[in-house]
PDB file of all heavy atoms in Angstrom:
ATOM      1  N   SER P  46       3.052 -10.620   0.152  1.00  0.00           N
ATOM      2  CA  SER P  46       1.775 -10.830   0.860  1.00  0.00           C
ATOM      3  C   SER P  46       1.770 -12.153   1.613  1.00  0.00           C
ATOM      4  O   SER P  46       2.320 -13.166   1.129  1.00  0.00           O
ATOM      5  CB  SER P  46       0.583 -10.811  -0.104  1.00  0.00           C
ATOM      6  OG  SER P  46      -0.605 -11.199   0.541  1.00  0.00           O
ATOM      7  N   VAL P  65     -14.024   1.177 -23.863  1.00  0.00           N
ATOM      8  CA  VAL P  65     -14.327   2.501 -23.302  1.00  0.00           C
ATOM      9  C   VAL P  65     -15.262   2.402 -22.040  1.00  0.00           C
ATOM     10  O   VAL P  65     -15.005   3.035 -21.052  1.00  0.00           O
ATOM     11  CB  VAL P  65     -14.990   3.419 -24.335  1.00  0.00           C
ATOM     12  CG1 VAL P  65     -15.444   4.733 -23.713  1.00  0.00           C
ATOM     13  CG2 VAL P  65     -14.014   3.640 -25.457  1.00  0.00           C
ATOM     14  N   VAL P 100     -34.058  -3.765  -9.871  1.00  0.00           N
ATOM     15  CA  VAL P 100     -32.726  -4.363  -9.826  1.00  0.00           C
ATOM     16  C   VAL P 100     -32.300  -4.365  -8.381  1.00  0.00           C
ATOM     17  O   VAL P 100     -32.487  -3.381  -7.639  1.00  0.00           O
ATOM     18  CB  VAL P 100     -31.693  -3.585 -10.657  1.00  0.00           C
ATOM     19  CG1 VAL P 100     -30.261  -4.073 -10.385  1.00  0.00           C
ATOM     20  CG2 VAL P 100     -32.028  -3.749 -12.126  1.00  0.00           C
ATOM     21  N   LEU P 119      -3.780   9.909  -5.804  1.00  0.00           N
ATOM     22  CA  LEU P 119      -3.830  11.185  -5.087  1.00  0.00           C
ATOM     23  C   LEU P 119      -2.531  11.439  -4.313  1.00  0.00           C
ATOM     24  O   LEU P 119      -2.013  12.566  -4.397  1.00  0.00           O
ATOM     25  CB  LEU P 119      -5.003  11.169  -4.094  1.00  0.00           C
ATOM     26  CG  LEU P 119      -5.191  12.362  -3.186  1.00  0.00           C
ATOM     27  CD1 LEU P 119      -5.492  13.626  -3.996  1.00  0.00           C
ATOM     28  CD2 LEU P 119      -6.286  12.078  -2.133  1.00  0.00           C
ATOM     29  N   ARG P 151     -36.968   0.972 -13.577  1.00  0.00           N
ATOM     30  CA  ARG P 151     -37.359   2.168 -12.890  1.00  0.00           C
ATOM     31  C   ARG P 151     -38.206   1.861 -11.586  1.00  0.00           C
ATOM     32  O   ARG P 151     -38.646   2.741 -10.947  1.00  0.00           O
ATOM     33  CB  ARG P 151     -38.157   3.081 -13.813  1.00  0.00           C
ATOM     34  CG  ARG P 151     -37.323   3.568 -14.951  1.00  0.00           C
ATOM     35  CD  ARG P 151     -38.100   4.466 -15.890  1.00  0.00           C
ATOM     36  NE  ARG P 151     -37.251   4.933 -16.993  1.00  0.00           N
ATOM     37  CZ  ARG P 151     -37.700   5.666 -17.991  1.00  0.00           C
ATOM     38  NH1 ARG P 151     -38.928   6.046 -18.067  1.00  0.00           N
ATOM     39  NH2 ARG P 151     -36.828   6.029 -18.956  1.00  0.00           N
ATOM     40  N   SER P 159     -24.360  -6.524   3.080  1.00  0.00           N
ATOM     41  CA  SER P 159     -24.426  -7.355   4.249  1.00  0.00           C
ATOM     42  C   SER P 159     -23.360  -8.406   4.240  1.00  0.00           C
ATOM     43  O   SER P 159     -23.551  -9.581   4.499  1.00  0.00           O
ATOM     44  CB  SER P 159     -25.790  -8.052   4.349  1.00  0.00           C
ATOM     45  OG  SER P 159     -26.819  -7.086   4.324  1.00  0.00           O
ATOM     46  N   ALA P 165     -27.370 -13.196  -1.418  1.00  0.00           N
ATOM     47  CA  ALA P 165     -28.608 -13.928  -1.043  1.00  0.00           C
ATOM     48  C   ALA P 165     -29.684 -12.999  -0.537  1.00  0.00           C
ATOM     49  O   ALA P 165     -30.872 -13.148  -0.848  1.00  0.00           O
ATOM     50  CB  ALA P 165     -28.271 -15.009  -0.002  1.00  0.00           C
ATOM     51  N   TYR P 170     -34.772  -9.891  -1.200  1.00  0.00           N
ATOM     52  CA  TYR P 170     -35.395  -8.636  -1.356  1.00  0.00           C
ATOM     53  C   TYR P 170     -36.196  -8.616  -2.654  1.00  0.00           C
ATOM     54  O   TYR P 170     -37.299  -8.056  -2.732  1.00  0.00           O
ATOM     55  CB  TYR P 170     -34.350  -7.499  -1.327  1.00  0.00           C
ATOM     56  CG  TYR P 170     -34.919  -6.141  -1.179  1.00  0.00           C
ATOM     57  CD1 TYR P 170     -35.285  -5.676   0.081  1.00  0.00           C
ATOM     58  CD2 TYR P 170     -35.107  -5.299  -2.245  1.00  0.00           C
ATOM     59  CE1 TYR P 170     -35.861  -4.395   0.251  1.00  0.00           C
ATOM     60  CE2 TYR P 170     -35.640  -4.067  -2.137  1.00  0.00           C
ATOM     61  CZ  TYR P 170     -36.043  -3.587  -0.877  1.00  0.00           C
ATOM     62  OH  TYR P 170     -36.561  -2.336  -0.729  1.00  0.00           O
ATOM     63  N   LEU P 174     -40.127  -7.726  -3.290  1.00  0.00           N
ATOM     64  CA  LEU P 174     -40.590  -6.679  -4.227  1.00  0.00           C
ATOM     65  C   LEU P 174     -41.732  -7.209  -5.089  1.00  0.00           C
ATOM     66  O   LEU P 174     -42.718  -6.484  -5.320  1.00  0.00           O
ATOM     67  CB  LEU P 174     -39.458  -6.188  -5.136  1.00  0.00           C
ATOM     68  CG  LEU P 174     -38.419  -5.333  -4.467  1.00  0.00           C
ATOM     69  CD1 LEU P 174     -37.253  -5.044  -5.417  1.00  0.00           C
ATOM     70  CD2 LEU P 174     -39.012  -4.060  -3.969  1.00  0.00           C
ATOM     71  N   GLY P 232     -16.095 -12.430  -8.395  1.00  0.00           N
ATOM     72  CA  GLY P 232     -17.059 -12.876  -9.375  1.00  0.00           C
ATOM     73  C   GLY P 232     -18.447 -12.230  -9.129  1.00  0.00           C
ATOM     74  O   GLY P 232     -18.625 -11.323  -8.322  1.00  0.00           O
ATOM     75  N   ALA P 244     -44.583 -14.593 -16.139  1.00  0.00           N
ATOM     76  CA  ALA P 244     -43.717 -15.468 -16.922  1.00  0.00           C
ATOM     77  C   ALA P 244     -44.537 -16.401 -17.783  1.00  0.00           C
ATOM     78  O   ALA P 244     -44.199 -16.662 -18.899  1.00  0.00           O
ATOM     79  CB  ALA P 244     -42.819 -16.217 -15.959  1.00  0.00           C
ATOM     80  N   HIS P 252     -36.565 -22.022 -14.532  1.00  0.00           N
ATOM     81  CA  HIS P 252     -35.543 -22.899 -14.014  1.00  0.00           C
ATOM     82  C   HIS P 252     -35.999 -23.529 -12.662  1.00  0.00           C
ATOM     83  O   HIS P 252     -35.695 -24.701 -12.374  1.00  0.00           O
ATOM     84  CB  HIS P 252     -34.210 -22.147 -13.793  1.00  0.00           C
ATOM     85  CG  HIS P 252     -33.602 -21.619 -15.013  1.00  0.00           C
ATOM     86  ND1 HIS P 252     -33.078 -22.442 -16.012  1.00  0.00           N
ATOM     87  CD2 HIS P 252     -33.475 -20.351 -15.478  1.00  0.00           C
ATOM     88  CE1 HIS P 252     -32.589 -21.692 -17.007  1.00  0.00           C
ATOM     89  NE2 HIS P 252     -32.829 -20.420 -16.694  1.00  0.00           N
ATOM     90  N   THR P 261     -32.267 -12.869   8.836  1.00  0.00           N
ATOM     91  CA  THR P 261     -32.177 -12.589  10.234  1.00  0.00           C
ATOM     92  C   THR P 261     -30.844 -11.945  10.582  1.00  0.00           C
ATOM     93  O   THR P 261     -29.990 -11.899   9.765  1.00  0.00           O
ATOM     94  CB  THR P 261     -32.347 -13.842  11.105  1.00  0.00           C
ATOM     95  OG1 THR P 261     -31.195 -14.668  10.936  1.00  0.00           O
ATOM     96  CG2 THR P 261     -33.644 -14.582  10.793  1.00  0.00           C
ATOM     97  N   VAL P 299     -31.460 -30.988  -1.125  1.00  0.00           N
ATOM     98  CA  VAL P 299     -30.124 -30.429  -1.242  1.00  0.00           C
ATOM     99  C   VAL P 299     -30.009 -29.209  -0.396  1.00  0.00           C
ATOM    100  O   VAL P 299     -30.903 -28.328  -0.386  1.00  0.00           O
ATOM    101  CB  VAL P 299     -29.786 -30.118  -2.739  1.00  0.00           C
ATOM    102  CG1 VAL P 299     -28.476 -29.309  -2.811  1.00  0.00           C
ATOM    103  CG2 VAL P 299     -29.669 -31.398  -3.547  1.00  0.00           C
ATOM    104  N   VAL P 322     -33.170 -28.202   9.288  1.00  0.00           N
ATOM    105  CA  VAL P 322     -33.581 -28.977   8.111  1.00  0.00           C
ATOM    106  C   VAL P 322     -33.542 -30.460   8.364  1.00  0.00           C
ATOM    107  O   VAL P 322     -34.448 -31.191   7.985  1.00  0.00           O
ATOM    108  CB  VAL P 322     -32.708 -28.640   6.902  1.00  0.00           C
ATOM    109  CG1 VAL P 322     -33.256 -29.358   5.612  1.00  0.00           C
ATOM    110  CG2 VAL P 322     -32.603 -27.139   6.672  1.00  0.00           C
ATOM    111  N   ALA P 334     -14.459 -24.882  -4.592  1.00  0.00           N
ATOM    112  CA  ALA P 334     -13.951 -24.772  -6.006  1.00  0.00           C
ATOM    113  C   ALA P 334     -13.781 -23.305  -6.407  1.00  0.00           C
ATOM    114  O   ALA P 334     -12.844 -22.987  -7.175  1.00  0.00           O
ATOM    115  CB  ALA P 334     -14.980 -25.435  -6.943  1.00  0.00           C
ATOM    116  N   VAL P 348     -27.580 -20.137  -7.389  1.00  0.00           N
ATOM    117  CA  VAL P 348     -27.543 -20.664  -8.765  1.00  0.00           C
ATOM    118  C   VAL P 348     -27.230 -22.129  -8.713  1.00  0.00           C
ATOM    119  O   VAL P 348     -27.852 -22.954  -9.441  1.00  0.00           O
ATOM    120  CB  VAL P 348     -26.489 -19.915  -9.603  1.00  0.00           C
ATOM    121  CG1 VAL P 348     -26.224 -20.642 -10.919  1.00  0.00           C
ATOM    122  CG2 VAL P 348     -26.969 -18.470  -9.858  1.00  0.00           C
ATOM    123  N   LEU P 352     -29.615 -25.152 -10.156  1.00  0.00           N
ATOM    124  CA  LEU P 352     -29.142 -26.084 -11.155  1.00  0.00           C
ATOM    125  C   LEU P 352     -29.202 -27.520 -10.655  1.00  0.00           C
ATOM    126  O   LEU P 352     -29.398 -28.455 -11.424  1.00  0.00           O
ATOM    127  CB  LEU P 352     -27.738 -25.720 -11.655  1.00  0.00           C
ATOM    128  CG  LEU P 352     -27.680 -24.417 -12.452  1.00  0.00           C
ATOM    129  CD1 LEU P 352     -26.241 -24.056 -12.741  1.00  0.00           C
ATOM    130  CD2 LEU P 352     -28.456 -24.567 -13.765  1.00  0.00           C
ATOM    131  N   GLU P 356     -31.010 -29.959 -13.039  1.00  0.00           N
ATOM    132  CA  GLU P 356     -30.204 -30.993 -13.662  1.00  0.00           C
ATOM    133  C   GLU P 356     -30.254 -32.365 -12.949  1.00  0.00           C
ATOM    134  O   GLU P 356     -29.764 -33.348 -13.469  1.00  0.00           O
ATOM    135  CB  GLU P 356     -28.780 -30.522 -13.773  1.00  0.00           C
ATOM    136  CG  GLU P 356     -28.596 -29.196 -14.550  1.00  0.00           C
ATOM    137  CD  GLU P 356     -29.067 -29.331 -16.027  1.00  0.00           C
ATOM    138  OE1 GLU P 356     -28.765 -30.401 -16.598  1.00  0.00           O
ATOM    139  OE2 GLU P 356     -29.697 -28.398 -16.465  1.00  0.00           O
ATOM    140  N   ALA P 361     -19.946 -32.312  -6.029  1.00  0.00           N
ATOM    141  CA  ALA P 361     -19.202 -32.786  -4.903  1.00  0.00           C
ATOM    142  C   ALA P 361     -18.379 -31.615  -4.307  1.00  0.00           C
ATOM    143  O   ALA P 361     -18.034 -30.691  -4.999  1.00  0.00           O
ATOM    144  CB  ALA P 361     -18.201 -33.886  -5.348  1.00  0.00           C
ATOM    145  N   LEU P 374     -23.590 -34.019   8.846  1.00  0.00           N
ATOM    146  CA  LEU P 374     -24.336 -33.877   7.584  1.00  0.00           C
ATOM    147  C   LEU P 374     -23.871 -34.834   6.538  1.00  0.00           C
ATOM    148  O   LEU P 374     -22.725 -35.364   6.585  1.00  0.00           O
ATOM    149  CB  LEU P 374     -24.168 -32.428   7.079  1.00  0.00           C
ATOM    150  CG  LEU P 374     -24.570 -31.269   8.042  1.00  0.00           C
ATOM    151  CD1 LEU P 374     -24.293 -29.909   7.368  1.00  0.00           C
ATOM    152  CD2 LEU P 374     -26.071 -31.382   8.417  1.00  0.00           C
ATOM    153  N   ARG P 378     -19.115 -35.832  -1.582  1.00  0.00           N
ATOM    154  CA  ARG P 378     -17.703 -35.707  -1.850  1.00  0.00           C
ATOM    155  C   ARG P 378     -17.280 -36.830  -2.793  1.00  0.00           C
ATOM    156  O   ARG P 378     -18.018 -37.793  -2.995  1.00  0.00           O
ATOM    157  CB  ARG P 378     -16.934 -35.850  -0.553  1.00  0.00           C
ATOM    158  CG  ARG P 378     -17.258 -37.025   0.312  1.00  0.00           C
ATOM    159  CD  ARG P 378     -16.383 -37.075   1.561  1.00  0.00           C
ATOM    160  NE  ARG P 378     -16.947 -37.965   2.586  1.00  0.00           N
ATOM    161  CZ  ARG P 378     -16.275 -38.369   3.626  1.00  0.00           C
ATOM    162  NH1 ARG P 378     -14.997 -38.013   3.802  1.00  0.00           N
ATOM    163  NH2 ARG P 378     -16.817 -39.159   4.539  1.00  0.00           N
ATOM    164  N   ALA P 402     -31.386 -17.200   4.029  1.00  0.00           N
ATOM    165  CA  ALA P 402     -31.643 -18.552   3.528  1.00  0.00           C
ATOM    166  C   ALA P 402     -32.664 -18.483   2.446  1.00  0.00           C
ATOM    167  O   ALA P 402     -33.664 -17.715   2.578  1.00  0.00           O
ATOM    168  CB  ALA P 402     -32.060 -19.521   4.613  1.00  0.00           C
TER     169      ALA P 402
END
Side-chain angles (χ1 to χ4, degrees):
S46 173
V65 174
V100 170
L119 176 66
R151 297 180 181 176
S159 304
Y170 194 82
L174 288 175
H252 297 290
T261 67
V299 170
V322 187
V348 169
L352 291 174
E356 302 298 320
L374 304 177
R378 51 177 163 166

